[in-house]
Amino acid sequence: MTIYNSRPVVLCLSGHDPSGGAGLQADIEALLAQGCHAAPVVTALTVQDTCNVSDFRVLERDWVLAQAHAVLGDLPVAAFKLGMLGSLEMVATVVEILQAHPQLPLVCDPVLRAGGGGALGRDEVGYAMREQLLPLATLATPNLPEARILAELPEGTADQCAAKLLPYCRNLLITGGHGDEQLVHNRLYTRDGSSQTFTCQRLPGSYHGSGCTLASALAGRLALGEDLSSAVQSALNYTWRTLRDAEQLGRGQYVPRRLPLDFCS
């Protein structure tokens, strides 16, 4: 029997998407592609497809705590990744889990809307994440519409949203995929006042699970010990490739191809 050196473990707290485009399946695939092991803790169940989300149910607090404690008591977790939480109680539950492990990197993807526009939590859930979770995060990764909700700036620019949100978090990556410029501008802001812009060519089409893919890839790069700026560049490059190679599996948005076709061969 061959014994391999263990891969870094990333504990993912997020929702389940039965279409496989976003949520925990996206986390698992993206982390596998980084050379990491995903430990998926389900926070919510959703009814969604590649077009939109029609309903969701947040799991009971005790079930989420039990899942997380089972993983943390057994596996050497190297990082956390947060996705859909869906309720104020779930925000408080996740805070409790994270506060026991302040030394671990945390990537927070403040999921409030599905790619098709359907709600995955009320705006007050976003505000609770801003007040309670962003201060614990190594990096938050909202897209611009999410950043506007979190900052309570309906028409705010990325710079304006960052100025409002940086008092809550150490580092902030506001992605620019929801615009219509030929180049996508993804902006990394740090609390010390520095910023960095990463640009890439805009791809045609609309994508289901791109935010989950990016945040999970980032958590994986941090778990591997990569520094923040390099991790952001690596994760953005990887995510762009998954979108370039995306498939239209259903009637709606394209699904990123996070693993190569020969991954299991």
Side-chain angles (χ1 to χ4, degrees), residues 10-230:
V10 178
L11 193 156
C12 304
L13 294 126
S14 191
H16 171 61
D17 169 11
S19 80
L24 287 169
Q25 181 164 323
D27 298 342
I28 294 166
E29 292 176 354
L31 284 164
L32 280 172
Q34 311 312 309
C36 296
H37 175 81
V41 171
V42 183
T43 59
L45 302 174
T46 71
V47 179
Q48 65 178 306
D49 53 22
T50 61
C51 299
N52 211 341
V53 59
S54 59
D55 202 359
F56 67 89
R57 175 172 295 181
V58 178
L59 267 63
E60 295 177 5
R61 163 187 168 83
D62 289 348
W63 273 91
V64 176
L65 288 173
Q67 292 177 79
H69 290 158
V71 171
L72 289 162
D74 181 38
L75 281 63
V77 172
F80 289 101
K81 184 266 178 180
L82 303 186
M84 177 191 174
L85 302 183
S87 73
L88 297 175
E89 182 181 36
M90 190 52 57
V91 172
T93 300
V94 170
V95 167
E96 179 180 329
I97 295 167
L98 298 174
Q99 284 179 332
H101 304 275
Q103 77 283 7
L104 296 180
L106 163 63
V107 176
C108 179
D109 180 18
V111 177
L112 299 173
R113 297 283 187 277
L120 289 168
R122 299 181 184 275
D123 288 354
E124 55 260 35
V125 175
Y127 305 150
M129 294 181 74
R130 180 188 68 192
E131 302 286 331
Q132 301 175 45
L133 283 175
L134 293 194
L136 304 177
T138 306
L139 177 66
T141 62
N143 57 40
L144 184 54
E146 290 166 339
R148 286 169 171 162
I149 292 172
L150 294 170
E152 300 180 80
L153 295 172
E155 302 298 326
T157 64
D159 287 350
Q160 290 168 334
C161 292
K164 184 77 177 288
L165 294 175
L166 279 174
Y168 298 96
C169 59
R170 283 175 278 169
N171 304 290
L172 181 69
L173 178 65
I174 300 181
T175 58
H178 284 70
D180 55 9
E181 302 91 348
Q182 192 62 27
L183 284 179
V184 175
H185 294 82
N186 303 294
R187 295 177 169 89
L188 174 65
Y189 302 89
T190 61
R191 187 176 286 175
D192 65 10
S194 64
S195 64
Q196 190 174 357
T197 300
F198 303 83
T199 59
C200 61
Q201 194 72 24
R202 183 174 299 280
L203 295 166
S206 177
Y207 303 93
H208 184 55
S210 57
C212 307
T213 303
L214 173 62
S216 295
L218 270 164
R221 302 315 300 181
L222 294 176
L224 289 162
E226 203 165 338
D227 68 79
L228 181 65
S229 179
S230 176

